[in-house]
Amino acid sequence: MSDNHPSPTTTDAGIPVQSDRVSLTVGPQGPVLLRDHYLIEQMAQFNRERVPERQPHAKGGGAHGRFEVTHDVSEYTKAAVFQPGARTDTLARFSTVAGERGTPDTWRDPRGFALKFYTSEGNYDMVGNDTPVFFIKDPLKFQHFIRSQKRRADTNLRDNDMQWDFWTLTPESAHMVTWLMGDRGIPRTWRHMDGFTSHTYMWVNAAGERFYVKYHFKTDQGIEFFTQAEADTMAGKDPDFHTRDLYDAIQRGDHPSWSLKVQIMPYAEAESYRFNPFDMTKVWPHDDYPLVEVGRMTLDRNPTD
């Protein structure tokens, strides 16, 4: 029996199906037939449609937008995305680090700040956090750090002792721990937090001169955060508060934006600087390398899938 839809449902091959409401059976009350290839296709797709959960940064959300250059930094870079007047489509994803996909948005945890710029020269991916530093400087320790935040194999519970054991035995983590346990450890919304690459990147100008840079995305909404008590209350009231807040803000036309500023270190200075400029547990003093304004990122479109 046909459902007579003006725009019929199709198989994955694009072939219209007779019905997307009933299966093919042997008579009105007979068994469902395995020859109903559309039914089998739908069941197979349903069983496999979940995306495997990430190890860190499993819980998150984001939006599309644009990046617009507002200041001339062409003396430092020839990249098209940073040339005067350039406008580039952008995708942003915000996330928590340690929690699973079902955990509350307002737990005390670093926030991921990942960006994709669809530039005329190809996609430019950038990952970071809402903090300018990180817990470790050697990537060999990353797996151990993330496991210290996960559930124990014996109790299936997270363990504060295991977490603090890693931090206290890793002295370079102290800088990041002070950020995490400070006021900014729980942003009020994703719209009210800064974003940092933490890592050091390189720019090359048209003359071939090289510069090291650190990216700072400063929220134009102002910094706001939850107290621990407010965050605990919100975790029970609305576990998806940050996800909902960003989506609703964009839906009502309240488009959040961030001003991109960079610190720029001439290539030759890195070798003799007083500490390792690639150490993620340290920040470059702004007195040595002040912020240079580049442009503005605005998120103005919610995803559809």
Side-chain angles (χ1 to χ4, degrees):
M1 181 178 72
S2 174
D3 290 336
N4 296 318
H5 291 307
S7 299
T9 304
T10 67
T11 68
D12 288 347
I15 302 169
V17 298
Q18 271 200 308
S19 175
D20 60 2
R21 300 183 186 180
V22 295
S23 302
L24 185 62
T25 63
V26 179
Q29 299 184 49
V32 174
L33 297 176
L34 285 176
R35 60 182 276 192
D36 188 341
H37 61 87
Y38 181 66
L39 167 65
I40 302 304
E41 179 182 271
Q42 288 293 293
M43 296 298 291
Q45 186 183 70
F46 176 77
N47 289 338
R48 294 167 175 80
E49 71 182 10
R50 286 192 179 276
V51 177
E53 182 171 295
R54 299 163 178 252
Q55 277 280 31
H57 299 275
K59 176 77 181 291
H64 299 272
R66 64 186 184 278
F67 174 73
E68 299 170 285
V69 176
T70 57
H71 291 70
D72 188 352
V73 291
S74 57
E75 65 177 296
Y76 305 110
T77 176
K78 63 182 178 181
V81 63
F82 299 126
Q83 296 311 299
R87 175 171 169 153
T88 304
D89 287 340
T90 307
L91 175 67
R93 182 180 189 261
F94 309 111
S95 56
T96 49
V97 175
E100 301 98 348
R101 291 183 70 175
T103 51
D105 285 348
T106 56
W107 275 3
R108 187 175 294 274
D109 198 9
R111 265 67 188 178
F113 198 105
L115 305 175
K116 184 184 288 289
F117 297 88
Y118 299 94
T119 85
S120 60
E121 297 173 316
N123 292 346
Y124 186 37
D125 293 311
M126 189 182 298
V127 297
N129 289 314
D130 65 331
T131 59
V133 292
F134 196 60
F135 297 97
I136 57 172
K137 55 186 175 182
D138 189 330
L140 186 63
K141 297 181 180 180
F142 183 75
Q143 293 72 230
H144 307 311
F145 163 63
I146 294 299
R147 288 180 181 129
S148 76
Q149 315 288 302
K150 295 296 183 180
R151 297 178 183 274
R152 288 173 47 142
D154 53 353
T155 65
N156 198 37
L157 298 172
R158 293 183 66 180
D159 189 332
N160 290 332
D161 290 338
M162 182 167 63
Q163 178 172 280
W164 281 97
D165 185 59
F166 178 88
W167 287 339
T168 55
L169 294 174
T170 312
E172 69 266 28
S173 71
H175 194 175
M176 179 64 173
V177 172
T178 60
W179 272 84
L180 180 60
M181 298 302 166
D183 290 340
R184 297 192 187 195
I186 312 177
R188 182 166 291 272
T189 78
W190 292 333
R191 298 179 294 122
H192 293 91
M193 69 181 190
D194 291 340
F196 305 87
T197 57
S198 303
H199 278 296
T200 301
Y201 286 66
M202 180 183 285
W203 277 2
V204 181
N205 67 14
E209 297 173 304
R210 293 172 289 180
F211 304 87
Y212 290 119
V213 299
K214 280 183 176 288
Y215 294 90
H216 301 244
F217 288 85
K218 311 296 285 185
T219 174
D220 295 327
Q221 290 69 237
I223 293 290
E224 294 184 19
F225 47 83
F226 278 133
T227 65
Q228 188 66 60
E230 290 172 330
D232 291 344
T233 299
M234 186 57 73
K237 183 179 178 181
D238 184 359
D240 302 314
F241 175 73
H242 286 163
T243 308
R244 193 183 319 280
D245 172 83
L246 179 65
Y247 187 91
D248 288 349
I250 293 175
Q251 281 294 94
R252 66 174 179 264
D254 183 6
H255 301 154
S257 65
W258 287 259
S259 294
L260 170 59
K261 302 180 181 183
V262 295
Q263 290 179 282
I264 301 174
M265 176 186 290
Y267 181 81
E269 293 183 17
E271 187 172 352
S272 59
Y273 194 62
R274 63 179 184 272
F275 61 79
N276 184 349
F278 311 112
D279 184 345
M280 284 186 68
T281 67
K282 297 180 174 63
V283 297
W284 295 357
H286 288 204
D287 285 345
D288 293 346
Y289 301 102
L291 293 177
V292 176
E293 192 151 357
V294 180
R296 177 172 291 107
M297 179 182 72
T298 304
L299 300 182
D300 56 12
R301 181 165 54 90
N302 282 315
T304 56
D305 185 354

